[in-house]
């Protein structure tokens, strides 16, 4: 295959980030986009450039046969139906997280995908952020010693405005713990090298969108909370989420503590939300117990790659690997099973936060 042709299903904010990043890969080209929203569809077609065809529906896009791989970046509640409709085409797929918003929907997709040959990769960009990759390397090379505690703090801006306001309600997002925190539960599983057994959470919708009304309803998505996840090998994970804290220097602070050292990845928020609109560097910090001297590394990321998205370069690095899989063969690094498991923890956290119950998995 000389050139890999991509089609984008759902050409909003994330679909356009995918287009910009695919545009940075030699041998990759976006040949088709679809979106029912005229504004998003037109922006995406212009961004993809000459020769890209734009469709209103993914049915028309699929019928046109213009692509070798699909990227699904439609709203969360549509992933299930879109996947049911496009899986039979047997093309490689990169589907945005969360895989689906309910467990039965995720399970149905896994069963259907098992019947076909082409791979499905669940987009978990946080795995591919350079400071997080450095952290993963530190834990796997034993720089921390055996991992005991994983703490992920996300202090960020509120959910952005979306077409049709789909991200304001649990029924369409799966809930905040599924919608955005599935990334962090995925990271915890990856670092702990274990599966969760118990989830306890406290959270609420306290600050954001309290004065918004959509068809007479106020948004019900959580905007802050704590989640504790116990793993089957004794590792403890904790998530601290606050979505009205965009004044923070670090959007994510991810720390892993082992018997011999603490390792930490510090990730700034997107440049477009920084005080002067400029990119900020990320850092990795290793704090060994023996020396008690912090080893601080600035993680440099190419500015063209940073500028192609809001996720500190991760969308590009994930696409590089997805592209290599499509071109050379191989299996997804983030599987449908990973996608399902991250949704399962997110749903448990939502349930625990709303009921006060401990969820045993
Ligand atoms: N991995 C990440 O870091 C990350 C970041 C942001 C968003 N996302 C995910 O990407 C997906 C899209 O999020 P977004 O922020 O771009 O939302 P968005 O609302 O900006 O974009 C979604 C687009 O899908 C379009 N759409 C609606 N129905 C459609 C249909 N039937 N077929 C095709 N397109 C349709 C909408 O008109 C909209 O333009 C979500 O699943 C979200 O969770 C992932």
């Amino acid at each position: 295959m000389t050139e890999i042709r991509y089609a984008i299903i759902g050409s909003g904010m994330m679909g356009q980030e995918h287009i910009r990043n695919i545009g940075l890969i030699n041998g990759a080209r976006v040949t088709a986009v679809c979106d029912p929203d005229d504004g998003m569809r037109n922006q995406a077609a212009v961004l993809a450039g000459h020769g890209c065809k734009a469709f209103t529906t993914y049915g028309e896009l699929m019928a046109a046969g213009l692509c070798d791989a699909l990227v699904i970046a439609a709203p969360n509640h549509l992933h299930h139906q879109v996947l049911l409709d496009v899986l039979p085409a047997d093309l490689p797929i990169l589907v945005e997280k969360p895989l689906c918003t309910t467990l039965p929907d995720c399970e149905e997709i896994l069963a259907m995908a098992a019947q076909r040959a082409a791979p499905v990769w669940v987009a978990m960009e946080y795995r591919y952020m350079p400071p997080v990759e450095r952290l993963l390397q530190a834990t796997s090379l034993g720089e921390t010693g055996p991992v005991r505690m994983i703490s992920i703090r996300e202090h960020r801006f509120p959910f952005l405005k979306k077409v049709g306001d789909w991200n304001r309600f649990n029924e369409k997002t799966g809930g905040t713990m599924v919608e955005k925190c599935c990334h962090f539960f995925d990271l915890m599983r990856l670092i702990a090298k274990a599966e969760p057994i118990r989830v306890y959470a406290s959270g609420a919708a306290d600050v954001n969108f309290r004065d918004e009304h959509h068809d007479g309803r106020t948004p019900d998505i959580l905007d802050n909370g704590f989640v504790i996840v116990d793993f089957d090998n004794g590792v403890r994970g904790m998530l601290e989420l606050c979505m009205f804290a965009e004044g923070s220097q670090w959007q994510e602070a991810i720390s892993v503590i082992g018997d011999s050292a603490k390792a930490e990845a510090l990730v700034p928020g997107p440049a477009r939300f920084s005080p002067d609109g400029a990119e900020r560097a990320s850092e990795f910090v290793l704090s060994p117990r023996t020396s008690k001297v912090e080893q601080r590394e600035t993680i440099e990321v190419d500015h063209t790659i940073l500028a192609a998205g809001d996720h500190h370069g991760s969308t590009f690095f994930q696409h590089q690997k997805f592209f290599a899989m499509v071109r050379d063969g191989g299996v997804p690094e983030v599987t449908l099973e990973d996608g399902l498991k991250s949704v399962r923890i997110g749903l448990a956290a939502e349930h625990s936060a709303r009921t006060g119950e401990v969820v045993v998995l």
Side-chain angles (χ1 to χ4, degrees):
M1 211 181 281
T2 50
E3 179 183 64
I4 294 170
R5 302 168 306 159
Y6 288 72
I8 313 290
I9 298 179
S11 310
M13 190 206 81
M14 200 58 205
Q16 293 180 29
E17 179 164 327
H18 284 295
I19 295 171
R20 285 192 295 275
N21 282 280
I22 293 166
L24 297 176
I25 294 179
N26 271 338
R29 193 158 67 91
V30 175
T31 47
V33 297
C34 79
D35 202 298
D37 182 78
D38 294 345
M40 290 300 195
R41 186 175 62 252
N42 294 336
Q43 280 176 25
V46 169
L47 200 55
H50 185 67
C52 173
K53 296 265 185 302
F55 300 91
T56 310
T57 66
Y58 62 85
E60 295 165 276
L61 177 147
M62 295 300 290
L66 291 169
C67 63
D68 309 305
L70 295 172
V71 175
I72 300 174
N76 299 358
H77 63 295
L78 301 179
H79 292 183
H80 176 239
Q81 189 60 51
V82 173
L83 281 164
L84 290 180
D85 292 336
V86 303
L87 279 170
D90 215 20
L91 293 171
I93 297 173
L94 179 68
V95 56
E96 265 303 340
K97 53 46 56 176
L99 173 57
C100 300
T101 55
T102 70
L103 273 185
D105 286 357
C106 290
E107 281 158 0
E108 187 178 3
I109 296 305
L110 261 74
M112 196 168 168
Q115 310 302 315
R116 58 178 236 147
V120 186
W121 181 313
V122 180
M124 285 291 183
E125 280 81 0
Y126 278 76
R127 288 191 185 201
Y128 300 95
M129 279 184 185
V132 176
E133 288 189 311
R134 177 68 186 89
L135 179 77
L136 295 171
Q137 180 197 38
T139 58
S140 61
L141 292 178
E143 290 180 74
T144 58
V147 172
R148 306 295 177 179
M149 298 176 77
I150 303 163
S151 155
I152 302 182
R153 190 185 74 213
E154 181 170 62
H155 285 179
R156 59 160 271 176
F157 52 92
F159 282 122
L160 300 172
K161 181 90 181 140
K162 298 288 167 188
V163 174
D165 298 307
W166 67 268
N167 65 351
R168 294 298 194 256
F169 293 96
N170 296 312
E171 68 200 11
K172 291 192 173 166
T173 60
T176 303
M177 294 296 164
V178 172
E179 143 61 17
K180 75 166 326 314
C181 302
C182 63
H183 277 299
F184 304 127
F185 301 131
D186 176 66
L187 279 183
M188 286 183 190
R189 285 186 54 247
L190 191 65
I191 295 168
K193 296 188 171 58
E195 296 301 338
I197 52 173
R198 262 185 309 273
V199 176
Y200 333 59
S202 168
D206 284 328
V207 175
N208 297 342
F209 320 128
R210 297 301 80 207
D211 54 356
E212 278 188 15
H213 302 284
H214 305 271
D215 298 326
R217 294 165 64 207
T218 307
D220 60 4
I221 36 157
L222 304 179
D223 60 21
N224 73 102
F226 293 106
V227 183
I228 290 178
V229 185
D230 288 333
F231 285 88
D232 59 11
N233 61 354
V235 170
R236 269 176 261 288
M238 188 183 79
L239 171 70
E240 174 185 336
L241 175 74
C242 180
M243 299 194 65
F244 42 90
E246 61 271 41
S248 311
Q249 161 75 8
W250 303 120
Q251 181 167 298
E252 283 92 21
I254 305 175
S255 78
V256 177
I257 307 180
D259 290 7
S260 52
K262 176 172 94 170
E264 202 165 17
L266 300 167
V267 188
R272 62 181 170 129
F273 303 129
S274 72
D276 56 1
E279 291 290 355
R280 295 169 286 191
S282 52
E283 292 184 8
F284 169 78
V285 188
L286 188 72
S287 307
R289 294 176 72 192
T290 45
S291 68
K292 300 191 183 69
V293 177
E294 262 190 8
Q295 298 161 24
R296 203 166 265 272
E297 299 168 23
T298 299
I299 309 287
E300 298 294 346
V301 183
D302 181 281
H303 273 250
T304 308
I305 294 173
L306 283 177
D310 281 339
H311 300 91
H312 212 68
S314 57
T315 306
F316 173 78
F317 296 115
Q318 179 174 255
H319 265 298
Q320 262 190 329
K321 292 193 166 178
F322 180 79
F323 174 80
M325 178 190 74
V326 175
R327 187 193 51 196
D328 306 331
V331 293
E333 275 188 10
V334 191
T335 63
L336 284 167
E337 201 174 354
D338 291 323
L340 176 149
K341 286 177 171 175
S342 66
V343 169
R344 179 184 287 141
I345 306 174
L347 288 170
E350 284 285 329
H351 181 83
S352 182
R354 287 172 202 288
T355 60
E357 291 169 16
V358 175
V359 179
V360 177
L361 296 174

